[in-house]
Amino acid sequence: MFTITIIGFVRHGVTAWNKEGRAQGSTDVPLDEEGIQMAHRVAERLSGEQWDVIYTSPLIRAAKTAEIIADSMPTIRLLSDNRLRESGGGLVEGMTENERVKKWGHSWKKLELGFEPQEEIILRGLEFIKEMKELHPDKRILVVSHGGFIGRLIKELVPYKDLTVDLQNTSITIIKLQEDRNLCELFNCIKHLQIVD
């Protein structure tokens, strides 16, 4: 009998570095005030839905977002998993695009600047997904993480769709994990931010 596990990916709320266009990577940057408000908005939306467990990246911007979501769902466990951290940005962390170009030129992406290898990011992501399917068959799992990490993982899980758009802060993407072909049921949705008070 095949099981279907649903993963709801949530990108963390906005930070000052997001607004400045600074690469965050593994640097522990907190949410700013707007980011906290965004987290409350997505929490309000998700609290009206059925979810079974929440996993979060340990980095503070994701962990705080997840904590706010978990507060709106008091019966659900919140667990931290280091595999959900953002991809390591090496020497470019904390820098804007202009600063990178000024220091290394327009081809800086081709240089060896200590980035976490793509294969390692995908490996830890797929390892996490495999474990979720085993631990939570037929359950609905919320995963609070980071734009770069979630984006790479979605491309692996749903390779037949063009889902290359940058993920918005607190956007929700829902993937139905199936035996034959995973389905993307919702992508980069931020309707909770578009509510007019």
Side-chain angles (χ1 to χ4, degrees):
M1 192 72 178
F2 294 134
T3 60
I4 294 174
T5 301
I6 306 286
I7 305 271
F9 290 104
V10 181
R11 187 184 176 200
H12 62 79
V14 78
T15 70
W17 278 21
N18 283 145
K19 292 174 180 175
E20 293 164 15
R22 297 187 183 281
Q24 294 184 117
S26 54
T27 305
D28 221 358
V29 184
L31 298 178
D32 67 9
E33 192 52 45
E34 184 185 357
I36 290 170
Q37 291 309 312
M38 291 169 83
H40 281 288
R41 284 283 185 92
V42 77
E44 187 180 342
R45 173 181 176 177
L46 292 168
S47 68
E49 301 175 5
Q50 171 58 46
W51 295 98
D52 298 297
V53 63
I54 306 169
Y55 284 84
T56 184
S57 155
L59 293 174
I60 193 167
R61 58 193 184 272
K64 181 65 177 174
T65 303
E67 189 183 299
I68 290 169
I69 294 168
D71 284 347
S72 72
M73 305 177 185
T75 60
I76 296 179
R77 283 185 306 153
L78 171 59
L79 303 164
S80 181
D81 193 308
N82 194 44
R83 291 172 294 187
L84 300 176
R85 70 191 183 278
E86 181 60 293
S87 47
L91 298 177
V92 307
E93 290 190 12
M95 299 176 79
T96 64
E97 175 70 17
N98 285 342
E99 289 168 346
R100 286 169 247 168
V101 169
K102 193 172 176 184
K103 186 162 186 173
W104 296 298
H106 289 283
S107 300
W108 63 266
K109 287 182 182 174
K110 296 177 183 171
L111 301 176
E112 178 46 63
L113 298 173
F115 303 121
E116 180 180 3
Q118 179 86 347
E119 314 78 64
E120 288 182 20
I121 301 164
I122 299 302
L123 191 66
R124 63 179 163 91
L126 292 178
E127 185 184 86
F128 172 81
I129 293 294
K130 182 173 183 282
E131 191 175 298
M132 292 303 99
K133 289 169 78 172
E134 291 166 0
L135 288 176
H136 308 289
D138 291 324
K139 298 293 184 189
R140 292 172 58 85
I141 304 158
L142 275 178
V143 172
V144 183
S145 186
H146 308 267
F149 175 77
I150 296 171
R152 285 179 174 91
L153 193 50
I154 289 169
K155 282 178 202 164
E156 292 295 313
L157 295 173
V158 194
Y160 58 89
K161 284 194 87 168
D162 180 17
L163 304 172
T164 53
V165 180
D166 285 345
L167 295 173
Q168 300 292 309
N169 289 99
T170 71
S171 65
I172 301 172
T173 297
I174 297 178
I175 307 288
K176 183 187 279 189
L177 303 174
Q178 302 183 131
E179 291 300 320
D180 51 350
R181 185 162 104 147
N182 301 321
L183 292 178
C184 181
E185 296 193 323
L186 187 69
F187 180 67
N188 202 19
C189 181
I190 53 166
K191 70 178 185 185
H192 51 278
L193 300 180
Q194 294 157 347
I195 300 164
V196 180
D197 292 326

